[in-house]
Amino acid sequence: MKTLHLSLKGEYFDAIKAGTKAEEYRLVTPYWRKRLDGRHYEGIELAKGYPARDDLARRLSRPWRGYTIKTITHPHFGESPVQVFAIKVN
């Protein structure tokens, strides 16, 4: 079973866990394009930082629901609009 592993900052992990954040963003770069384009995953594992394997409080598992490419402006990426992979995590 292929699983996409994503490490997140605490604020984003907590928002996903609370159900207030439905997408996780990654810049459209060759690195992320190689990991996402044409790939199918069974699930996504989201981690708050880099927890130990047995630290289940800092891990979430979600089914793979795909992604879309969007242009957004977000403080994390700077003031200019950028293209991102919007990975569905809800």
Side-chain angles (χ1 to χ4, degrees):
M1 175 166 120
K2 283 188 176 181
T3 302
L4 177 64
H5 296 268
L6 298 175
S7 294
L8 310 173
K9 289 186 174 190
E11 64 183 296
Y12 303 128
F13 179 88
D14 293 339
I16 291 168
K17 190 172 184 176
T20 59
K21 186 173 192 282
E23 298 175 326
E24 174 59 22
Y25 303 122
R26 294 293 190 258
L27 282 175
V28 174
T29 63
Y31 175 80
W32 283 105
R33 189 170 297 283
K34 184 177 178 180
R35 290 186 77 189
L36 296 173
D37 275 352
R39 295 268 182 110
H40 177 75
Y41 294 96
E42 297 296 322
I44 304 171
E45 184 167 307
L46 306 162
K48 186 176 188 176
Y50 297 93
R53 284 202 182 271
D54 61 347
D55 188 353
L56 301 180
R58 294 177 54 188
R59 294 184 183 275
L60 294 173
S61 292
R62 298 282 196 260
W64 173 251
R65 291 194 174 102
Y67 66 89
T68 57
I69 295 179
K70 294 183 175 183
T71 300
I72 65 167
T73 302
H74 190 281
H76 182 81
F77 300 118
E79 296 177 9
S80 301
V82 293
Q83 271 200 324
V84 295
F85 291 104
I87 302 166
K88 298 173 186 170
V89 295
N90 57 351

